[in-house]
Amino acid sequence: MKGIIYYFLLFIIISFFSYLFAVFSTRIINKKWVNKGFLMGPIMPMYGFISLIIIYLLKGYYNDVIVVVVFSIIIGQIVKYVTSIILEKLFSQKFWNYDIKYNLNGRINPFDALIFGSFGIFIIYLIEPFIIYLFHFINLKYLKWISLIILILLITDIILSYLEARRICRISSHLEVILNEYTKSRNIKLNKIKLRLYKAYPYLLNNQRLYQRLEKLKKELKTNVEIINMD
């Protein structure tokens, strides 16, 4: 039981810090805040899974940095490729599609090698040892309750995020018709169309003009609602 709790919390912690890294790196590169990742909450589970696999398979190679780096790259690329396929099967739509040299079916690209290689080094030599040290100071009883609460929140997030993604993917192929209809009649509840996944995965819409139009209409709708509330 202790081992399960440890690996679950390790998964959550690394997923959380991966989310922070993605958000702040996007902020630095694109000069804007974006809620990255598939889930609504501040975690990126794909990197949590990658970290657990790296720890399980490569911890015994602690003294061989090259093995850690090479196999971290391989593990990361495989998991990312499989994740892309799973998302496409679930929602009948690609969440990302790299259009750069040497990409593999648009699902992974060679620049990810640098990310996953560095990720493996951080996990094996810094993150996991630090978390093991930290857990020594926390009573197992508290860790159980913390794990249970986080697990309930995670399951809830997965369900809600899945439903939201299903709705967004259905809307994407008909968005221009929806926006035209809204412009004519104003009958459609535009506020129910969320922008979060479009920002996190621009390829879901793959049409900057439509996205800008949707964002503008939602801002106008929000402004009108605020004016009505003030009256």
Side-chain angles (χ1 to χ4, degrees):
M1 179 59 114
K2 186 176 180 180
I4 294 173
I5 292 173
Y6 163 71
Y7 282 110
F8 174 70
L9 290 177
L10 183 67
F11 163 80
I12 293 296
I13 291 169
I14 294 175
S15 297
F16 171 70
F17 281 104
S18 297
Y19 170 87
L20 291 182
F21 175 80
V23 168
F24 281 100
S25 61
T26 301
R27 171 64 180 172
I28 293 170
I29 295 170
N30 299 327
K31 309 297 182 183
K32 60 182 180 181
W33 296 106
V34 177
N35 183 4
K36 301 293 287 184
F38 176 80
L39 299 181
M40 296 178 184
I43 64 170
M44 299 186 76
M46 182 179 73
Y47 290 92
F49 282 119
I50 291 172
S51 68
L52 294 185
I53 297 172
I54 287 174
I55 291 168
Y56 181 77
L57 295 179
L58 302 180
K59 194 173 181 179
Y61 296 91
Y62 187 91
N63 295 321
D64 196 333
V65 179
I66 294 177
V67 170
V68 171
V69 171
V70 170
F71 280 92
S72 292
I73 293 170
I74 294 171
I75 291 167
Q77 296 283 41
I78 290 174
V79 172
K80 187 168 184 177
Y81 193 94
V82 172
T83 299
S84 175
I85 293 175
I86 291 172
L87 289 173
E88 187 175 348
K89 294 295 182 182
L90 282 174
F91 302 103
S92 301
Q93 192 161 332
K94 274 189 175 183
F95 275 62
W96 62 82
N97 186 43
Y98 296 113
D99 186 21
I100 59 176
K101 201 171 183 180
Y102 304 120
N103 76 81
L104 183 58
N105 298 326
R107 302 183 190 279
I108 55 176
N109 67 82
F111 295 107
D112 283 338
L114 178 62
I115 295 174
F116 291 125
S118 303
F119 186 70
I121 290 176
F122 275 103
I123 294 301
I124 295 295
Y125 300 105
L126 294 175
I127 305 300
E128 203 229 0
F130 175 73
I131 293 175
I132 290 176
Y133 173 77
L134 190 64
F135 279 4
H136 285 156
F137 297 96
I138 305 175
N139 190 293
L140 180 60
K141 179 177 69 175
Y142 297 126
L143 289 178
K144 287 180 180 178
W145 281 107
I146 292 170
S147 299
L148 180 60
I149 292 169
I150 293 175
L151 179 61
I152 292 171
L153 292 174
L154 178 61
I155 292 172
T156 303
D157 193 349
I158 290 172
I159 293 170
L160 294 177
S161 298
Y162 172 80
L163 294 175
E164 179 190 350
R166 291 282 295 181
R167 177 178 172 79
I168 287 297
C169 289
R170 285 198 301 267
I171 287 172
S172 295
S173 57
H174 308 290
L175 187 58
E176 187 154 24
V177 175
I178 291 171
L179 294 182
N180 289 340
E181 183 62 30
Y182 174 80
T183 304
K184 291 177 184 177
S185 63
R186 303 280 168 164
N187 290 328
I188 296 170
K189 293 182 179 179
L190 203 66
N191 58 326
K192 289 191 174 182
I193 302 178
K194 308 297 183 182
L195 296 175
R196 184 183 69 86
L197 281 176
Y198 287 144
K199 290 180 180 178
Y201 300 100
Y203 189 77
L204 276 177
L205 187 56
N206 200 22
N207 189 321
Q208 188 63 22
R209 178 184 61 82
L210 278 182
Y211 175 79
Q212 290 173 349
R213 187 179 170 193
L214 171 61
E215 191 173 37
K216 181 180 177 182
L217 286 173
K218 283 179 68 68
K219 285 180 180 178
E220 290 176 0
L221 180 64
K222 183 179 179 181
T223 301
N224 292 337
V225 170
E226 289 175 350
I227 291 172
I228 291 171
N229 290 336
M230 287 176 64
D231 292 342

